[in-house]
Amino acid sequence: MRDMFRVAGVVNYLLVIFLNAFTDLGHKIIVQNTVFKVYDGSTQIVLTAIVNSLMLLPFILMFSPAGFLADKFPKNLIMKYASISAVFITLLITYSYYQGWFLVAFALTFLLALQSAIYGPAKYGYIKELVGLKFISAGNGAVQAITTSAILIGIIFYTALFEGMIGDVIYTKEEILKVIAPLGWLLVLGSVIEWYLASKLPNKMIEKSARKFRFKRYVFGAYLKKNMIMIKRKKEIFDNIIALGLFWSISQVILAIFGEYAKSELGITNALVVQGIMSLAVFGIVFGSILAANFSKYYINTGLSALSAIGITLVVLSIPFTTSVIFLAIEFILFGIFSGLLMVPLNAKIQYLSPNVHLGTILAGNNFIQTIFMFVFLMITTLFAYFGANAKILFYIMAIVGLYLSVMLFRRYFVMLFWVIFELMLKSRHSYKYVGLENIPKDKGALLMGNHVSWVDWLIVQLPIERRINYMIDKDIYNWKYCNAIFKKADLIPLSSKASKNSFFEASNRLKNGRIIAIFPEGQISRNSDVAKFYRGYEFIDRNGVDIVPFYIDGVFGSIFSRHNGKTKKSFFKKREITVYFGKPISDEIKADELRNKIIKLKGI
């Protein structure tokens, strides 16, 4: 991620992202805190849900125009003009504060969200243009971390000032706005700085759409229909958008009902305490986003999203059983961590799979569908509250939604989930460095061969490679009763010294079909760290036109995963440093002894 910050415009862009979220949230927090102070029970839940709905509705209405603009014009210009419009909107908001016009301030939430809806597709589409595919996961992680940091700081900042100005005095909603009116100037200042920084962003547009926007087609839904067809072309994109929609729906409902839950069930009446607990989720999102970027260093690690969905479900289910403020704080932090781990890979995958010319439309569609989900869920929340349902029931319903989300992502990314669990286990004890990854072909068959020093060599080699490696494995191990089904699912190739012809034929076919095959030519795990004699079996594989990539694993020998019987001592709290060297592709006619020598020489290149 450090290298990404050297790209021109990245720091400026992230500051724009921060100020945009900070300003938008500031007004929303002021309105929500006013509602919290004046209203109770179901009325409070309904009004909070309406505030959130006003923030969402523009994303539904502006789906087609926002996507069209982001594809048609440079995204940096859209951010520039959207931010200058925010300056005028915040001036109107500030004037409504001074006049004590609560309903006007309430309604201006919609107008502020309208510019955000136009802003959104350009803002997120700009990531791919600015940092490229190389840093797309790191870029999404940084944007998510910056956005959530802005939300965290904004919640604490505006709520602390709000409580400091109001104190324990009982006011009407109109009087509250007049008392806190000076806060409006902070919103204006944030918008002005955002506009200045946005005007300095470089134009990174590579290709633009030649389409023209026709208002009649927009009004009658023609654009909506066409854009939805475009979004559904790639099932993985559409599935990820639905998953994000479900996640944001759960989040919106939790935020809408927690204030009433804290007030009625726990007796908390201080808005700063309530907002402070919820803001800890934002702190967790920052940490989760950084973790997601770290685990997606080599490719977009979508397995994280499936794992985190399970975590979100468990946290939501546990909140209604918690009465301690400290434990609630911990639960919201965990909710945030799992949220970051879910959002970053899914958003990055959507951007990665989307063609540049339609990126704005697809990201607008992403906003549109997520917003539809959130809006519907908030309306359901409003209805439940109106008919007297308490917050606990809504928590249980959200846990059920979380369970559905978990199953959905589990089915989509089952294999990736399997790998990420192993990766989490290994990274708790090891740190990894990979040299020469560029030598592994991206889109054709390859035969990987290297030394064998531990039981986890197969996983160590696999970690930085998104394409699944098909390992050749001893037939006796392959037939283990309790592991055979897993080995079949992993597409391993059983190898027997007595009947190897079929195994080599299968490996040859898979190589021709563009798969990656890996072999440990020593045939067994080393007991002394030396590279033993290589067996010649691999020479019977048809390697014509296939890249043979040698590798050397250094640093594993002596660990609990190796067959080392010595007494090498290592601090339990110190991670073992492991380096894997991948050599340049070599001749497909290379003999076993020559291959062994080349692999030995890889160490320390």
Side-chain angles (χ1 to χ4, degrees):
M1 185 179 284
R2 187 182 303 171
D3 292 337
M4 181 190 70
F5 287 98
R6 297 174 184 170
V7 177
V10 166
V11 174
N12 220 33
Y13 167 67
L14 293 177
L15 288 172
V16 169
I17 296 294
F18 178 90
L19 289 168
N20 178 253
F22 186 78
T23 302
D24 283 1
L25 183 80
H27 173 60
K28 178 185 174 183
I29 288 297
I30 290 170
V31 173
Q32 281 190 341
N33 286 343
T34 303
V35 170
F36 180 82
K37 286 291 186 182
V38 177
Y39 299 99
D40 297 296
S42 60
T43 304
Q44 182 186 330
I45 293 179
V46 169
L47 288 176
T48 303
I50 291 174
V51 172
N52 288 324
S53 298
L54 288 174
M55 296 291 290
L56 299 176
L57 193 56
F59 288 91
I60 298 174
L61 299 176
M62 298 303 295
F63 165 35
S64 297
F68 170 81
L69 291 171
D71 288 335
K72 180 73 175 178
F73 302 103
K75 295 174 180 61
N76 62 308
L77 291 182
I78 294 173
M79 288 187 279
K80 174 184 175 181
Y81 292 121
S83 58
I84 198 172
S85 70
V87 174
F88 294 103
I89 296 170
T90 51
L91 283 169
L92 287 173
I93 288 171
T94 302
Y95 183 73
S96 69
Y97 289 170
Y98 276 101
Q99 298 302 313
W101 294 342
F102 177 75
L103 291 178
V104 174
F106 201 90
L108 284 172
T109 305
F110 176 84
L111 201 57
L112 193 61
L114 190 65
Q115 67 88 26
S116 292
I118 297 173
Y119 204 112
K123 177 174 68 176
Y124 287 106
Y126 194 64
I127 299 173
K128 186 177 179 181
E129 292 184 354
L130 184 63
V131 303
L133 294 178
K134 181 180 179 180
F135 297 118
I136 193 167
S137 289
N140 275 276
V143 168
Q144 199 63 64
I146 290 293
T147 302
T148 47
S149 296
I151 293 171
L152 171 64
I153 296 170
I155 288 172
I156 296 173
F157 180 78
Y158 282 103
T159 302
L161 291 177
F162 182 92
E163 283 288 345
M165 294 172 127
I166 298 299
D168 296 325
V169 181
I170 298 175
Y171 292 108
T172 65
K173 54 184 179 296
E174 290 79 14
E175 291 170 338
I176 288 176
L177 288 186
K178 289 181 179 180
V179 171
I180 56 87
L183 295 181
W185 293 113
L186 294 177
L187 301 177
V188 175
L189 179 63
S191 298
V192 170
I193 298 174
E194 179 191 346
W195 164 70
Y196 173 77
L197 293 173
S199 66
K200 303 295 181 181
L201 292 174
N203 181 2
K204 292 288 184 177
M205 186 170 229
I206 301 172
E207 52 184 330
K208 62 181 181 178
S209 171
R211 293 177 300 153
K212 294 183 178 180
F213 189 79
R214 303 185 188 283
F215 187 74
K216 185 177 179 180
R217 296 192 67 194
Y218 165 60
V219 172
F220 288 98
Y223 282 131
L224 175 61
K225 183 178 178 180
K226 183 178 179 181
N227 291 341
M228 290 302 296
I229 291 173
M230 184 186 302
I231 291 169
K232 290 181 177 180
R233 281 178 184 169
K234 289 186 178 179
K235 192 173 187 302
E236 187 172 359
I237 289 179
F238 187 69
D239 286 350
N240 286 353
I241 289 174
I242 296 297
L244 285 168
L246 289 170
F247 160 72
W248 280 114
S249 298
I250 294 170
S251 302
Q252 284 292 315
V253 174
I254 298 301
L255 294 177
I257 65 178
F258 182 71
E260 192 278 330
Y261 172 76
K263 200 171 185 179
S264 61
E265 299 289 335
L266 306 178
I268 301 173
T269 57
N270 189 312
L272 184 58
V273 174
V274 174
Q275 296 288 0
I277 292 173
M278 289 193 290
S279 68
L280 290 173
V282 183
F283 178 79
I285 290 175
V286 174
F287 184 65
S289 299
I290 294 171
L291 276 179
N294 180 263
F295 275 90
S296 297
K297 183 178 180 181
Y298 301 106
Y299 57 88
I300 300 170
N301 201 330
T302 46
L304 293 169
S305 60
L307 183 65
S308 58
I310 298 169
I312 288 170
T313 303
L314 293 175
V315 170
V316 172
L317 187 60
S318 67
I319 291 175
F321 296 98
T322 307
T323 56
S324 166
V325 172
I326 293 176
F327 282 112
L328 279 171
I330 293 171
E331 286 167 345
F332 271 88
I333 290 173
L334 289 174
F335 183 88
I337 292 173
F338 290 128
S339 299
L341 290 170
L342 182 141
M343 288 186 289
V344 169
L346 292 186
N347 278 317
K349 198 68 175 180
I350 291 169
Q351 293 167 26
Y352 177 80
L353 293 174
S354 301
N356 286 332
V357 71
H358 297 307
L359 181 59
T361 297
I362 291 174
L363 292 181
N366 184 23
N367 287 338
F368 174 78
I369 293 173
Q370 290 175 30
T371 305
I372 288 287
F373 270 93
M374 289 187 281
F375 188 79
V376 170
F377 272 68
L378 285 173
M379 291 301 99
I380 293 172
T381 300
T382 303
L383 288 173
F384 269 81
Y386 180 79
F387 288 108
N390 62 32
K392 282 189 174 183
I393 293 175
L394 291 167
F395 275 115
Y396 298 146
I397 294 173
M398 290 305 102
I400 294 172
V401 176
L403 180 62
Y404 177 81
L405 173 62
S406 301
V407 172
M408 178 183 175
L409 289 173
F410 180 83
R411 293 176 64 182
R412 160 61 69 178
Y413 295 120
F414 169 75
V415 174
M416 298 298 289
L417 173 61
F418 175 81
W419 287 110
V420 83
I421 291 172
F422 276 102
E423 184 175 358
L424 285 167
M425 292 168 59
L426 283 187
K427 281 192 173 180
S428 66
R429 301 297 303 128
H430 300 162
S431 63
Y432 296 99
K433 179 182 178 182
Y434 294 91
V435 179
L437 277 173
E438 67 279 2
N439 294 321
I440 300 174
K442 301 293 184 183
D443 53 6
K444 69 175 185 176
L447 182 60
L448 307 184
M449 291 190 283
N451 61 323
H452 199 8
V453 288
S454 78
W455 295 104
V456 293
D457 291 344
W458 57 277
L459 181 55
I460 292 171
V461 175
Q462 176 70 80
L463 287 183
I465 304 171
E466 184 172 14
R467 296 167 65 195
R468 296 301 98 186
I469 299 174
N470 295 179
Y471 285 93
M472 300 195 76
I473 182 175
D474 184 89
K475 191 172 183 178
D476 291 336
I477 297 175
Y478 182 85
N479 288 329
W480 282 357
K481 181 178 179 181
Y482 298 106
C483 297
N484 181 251
I486 297 174
F487 291 156
K488 286 182 178 179
K489 188 74 175 177
D491 289 332
L492 301 188
I493 302 173
L495 179 63
S496 169
S497 58
K498 296 179 180 179
S500 59
K501 185 177 180 180
N502 290 339
S503 300
F504 294 135
F505 180 75
E506 176 63 23
S508 300
N509 281 338
R510 294 192 191 185
L511 286 170
K512 289 176 182 177
N513 290 324
R515 306 289 286 274
I516 298 179
I517 305 294
I519 304 175
F520 298 108
E522 292 171 271
Q524 61 182 345
I525 297 174
S526 174
R527 293 183 181 273
N528 58 10
S529 81
D530 292 335
V531 181
K533 178 183 176 180
F534 277 13
Y535 289 95
R536 296 178 56 194
Y538 76 89
E539 295 180 10
F540 295 98
I541 298 174
D542 184 358
R543 293 159 284 151
N544 185 33
V546 173
D547 287 342
I548 297 177
V549 180
F551 64 84
Y552 185 92
I553 304 172
D554 183 36
V556 185
F557 187 77
S559 74
I560 60 173
F561 300 111
S562 68
R563 279 182 167 170
H564 176 58
N565 295 320
K567 296 183 178 180
T568 303
K569 292 185 178 180
K570 190 175 182 68
S571 171
F572 178 81
F573 299 100
K574 186 176 181 181
K575 288 187 175 183
R576 181 177 291 273
E577 296 179 359
I578 296 169
T579 304
V580 182
Y581 303 92
F582 292 96
K584 292 182 179 180
I586 54 182
S587 168
D588 57 9
E589 298 298 328
I590 191 168
K591 300 299 181 181
D593 289 341
E594 187 182 355
L595 174 64
R596 177 179 175 274
N597 290 333
K598 281 184 174 292
I599 288 174
I600 292 173
K601 291 178 181 179
L602 285 175
K603 182 179 178 180
I605 61 173

